Amino acid sequence: MVDKVKLVLMSCCAPCSCGAIKQLVNGEIPGIDDFIVMFFNPNIFPDSEYQKRLKEQIKYCEKLGVKYVVGDYDHDAWRKCVIGLENEPERGARCSKCFAYRFCFARSWALKNGFNAIASVFGVSRHKDQSQVDCAAKKSCGDIKYLPIKWDEKLRNEINRESDFYRQNYCGCEFSIRK
């Protein structure tokens, strides 16, 4: 008997996750029996930016009737995770470490809560590299299956055009604000 796929979808913000969530709601990703959106982004800085992104994510999930979970915002712990990598460029070693940190949290949460797969929208942003996200996930998810789903970019762009989402112009951490 094949296990039912219960997916944790990791999200960084509503503009990046909206298309993926809609695809999952519509049953467009074969084999997914249940899912929850996880907002675990201790990398986002400052706190006011984190709160804006969180508010938008919750608003969108609630609009669609989608379950979500919010991980603790512990920016200091995240900073300790990336110490020594502050001067890395975007898409550099700091980003890989950040993705791994967040995937490890998702793995732990999934195991405790009966979920058996993880996917993310971390790579859909123009600021990130999907292959880097996939590599970090595969190394971090362990016994939880990582699903490198190719999300519908056209749908995401369409939802974004029609929405009033708050949109940011940097990845999230203080080091990505640099010019």
Side-chain angles (χ1 to χ4, degrees), residues 4-8 31-35 113-118:
K4 292 186 177 221
V5 176
K6 292 185 66 174
L7 179 72
V8 175
I32 307 296
D33 297 293
D34 188 22
F35 79 97
N113 291 279
F115 286 79
N116 59 6
I118 295 172

Side-chain angles (χ1 to χ4, degrees), residues 28-53:
E28 295 174 16
I29 307 299
I32 307 296
D33 297 293
D34 188 22
F35 79 97
I36 191 167
V37 174
M38 174 176 280
F39 190 87
F40 176 65
N41 298 294
N43 56 307
I44 298 175
F45 180 86
D47 180 67
S48 59
E49 178 71 17
Y50 173 86
Q51 294 301 328
K52 288 176 189 173
R53 294 185 194 197

Side-chain angles (χ1 to χ4, degrees), residues 22-131:
K22 188 74 169 164
Q23 283 181 264
L24 289 164
V25 166
N26 291 345
E28 295 174 16
I29 307 299
I32 307 296
D33 297 293
D34 188 22
F35 79 97
I36 191 167
V37 174
M38 174 176 280
F39 190 87
F40 176 65
N41 298 294
N43 56 307
I44 298 175
F45 180 86
D47 180 67
S48 59
E49 178 71 17
Y50 173 86
Q51 294 301 328
K52 288 176 189 173
R53 294 185 194 197
L54 174 60
K55 180 181 172 189
E56 289 296 302
Q57 186 66 76
I58 290 172
K59 184 171 79 172
Y60 189 68
C61 286
E62 289 180 348
K63 175 182 175 182
L64 296 181
V66 169
K67 297 178 291 191
Y68 62 89
V69 63
V70 179
D72 290 339
Y73 179 69
D74 187 346
H75 189 68
D76 291 336
W78 176 84
R79 286 286 309 257
K80 288 176 185 163
C81 171
V82 299
I83 199 156
L85 301 172
E86 298 87 351
N87 294 317
E88 283 287 314
E90 278 300 288
R91 300 179 178 193
R94 182 186 64 252
C95 294
S96 292
K97 188 82 169 181
C98 176
F99 295 140
Y101 181 79
R102 290 150 70 198
F103 281 120
C104 285
F105 176 87
R107 177 192 173 275
S108 177
W109 187 92
L111 286 170
K112 289 177 190 168
N113 291 279
F115 286 79
N116 59 6
I118 295 172
S120 90
V121 298
F122 296 160
V124 304
S125 166
R126 62 185 165 84
H127 301 290
K128 297 300 171 204
D129 173 26
Q130 186 64 54
S131 62

